[in-house]
């Protein structure tokens, strides 16, 4: 009978271990899905500015943090820093044990031709929009289009 109880104890320990693996795989799949939708949301935001005067982007987004001269025009760069979110119960809160959260970043770049019309752009970062439906991300899309 001791062999059966040992087997039962092993099986009882294995179930939570398997559930943890399933949870990790599910979280990874969800993050990959969000990354994919973030790509399309940010690209949609950038694309909404094509053929629009860059002065409109400056009015809507505020002044750019950097301006770069390019052979085909000028690049205007905006950079956002997003505070790291921390869900309740996400780790130790004792003095000296808590890790400093690292903020996320998102850099948006619009490229304008010499006549000031946006011809394209790009973005990069770990805290860019995953949807352009509401809030800060909705405010990035060109508002003149329906």
């Amino acid at each position: 009978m001791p062999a059966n109880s040992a087997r039962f104890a092993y099986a009882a320990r294995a179930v939570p271990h398997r559930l943890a693996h399933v949870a990790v795989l599910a979280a990874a799949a969800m993050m990959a899905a969000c990354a994919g939708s973030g790509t399309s949301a940010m690209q949609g935001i950038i694309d909404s500015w094509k053929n629009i005067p860059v002065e409109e982007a400056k009015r809507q987004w505020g002044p750019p943090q950097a301006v770069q001269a390019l052979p085909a025009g000028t690049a205007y760069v905006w950079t956002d820093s997003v505070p790291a979110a921390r869900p309740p119960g996400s780790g130790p809160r004792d003095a000296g044990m808590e890790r400093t959260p690292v903020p996320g970043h998102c850099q948006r770049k619009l490229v304008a031709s010499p006549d000031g019309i946006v011809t394209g752009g790009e973005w990069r970062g770990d805290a860019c929009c995953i949807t352009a439906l509401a809030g800060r991300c909705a405010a990035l899309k060109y508002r003149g289009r329906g």
Side-chain angles (χ1 to χ4, degrees):
M1 200 90 141
N4 287 341
S5 60
R7 195 176 304 151
F8 178 74
Y10 174 77
R13 283 191 307 258
V15 170
H17 188 68
R18 286 186 192 127
L19 290 176
H21 281 318
V22 169
V24 167
L25 290 174
M30 220 159 116
M31 286 175 56
C34 285
S37 62
T39 299
S40 67
M42 281 305 296
Q43 194 58 52
I45 289 168
I46 297 298
D47 289 347
S48 75
W49 288 97
K50 284 186 180 174
N51 301 316
I52 305 298
V54 74
E55 292 302 317
E56 285 292 318
K58 290 179 188 179
R59 275 194 281 281
Q60 190 169 320
W61 291 359
Q65 281 82 23
V67 178
Q68 303 166 340
L70 301 174
T74 307
Y76 299 86
V77 181
W78 290 263
T79 304
D80 296 325
S81 182
V82 180
R86 204 176 357 201
S90 63
R93 300 278 192 254
D94 296 333
M97 303 258 321
E98 187 174 347
R99 281 192 260 157
T100 304
V102 177
H105 297 289
C106 185
Q107 183 184 75
R108 302 179 311 278
K109 183 186 295 186
L110 293 177
V111 177
S113 62
D115 61 354
I117 302 299
V118 175
T119 58
E122 61 186 42
W123 61 273
R124 68 175 178 219
D126 58 358
C128 294
C129 300
I130 59 171
T131 180
L133 298 177
R136 178 183 66 87
C137 295
L140 297 175
K141 201 163 193 172
Y142 175 60
R143 294 182 189 149
R145 293 190 182 153

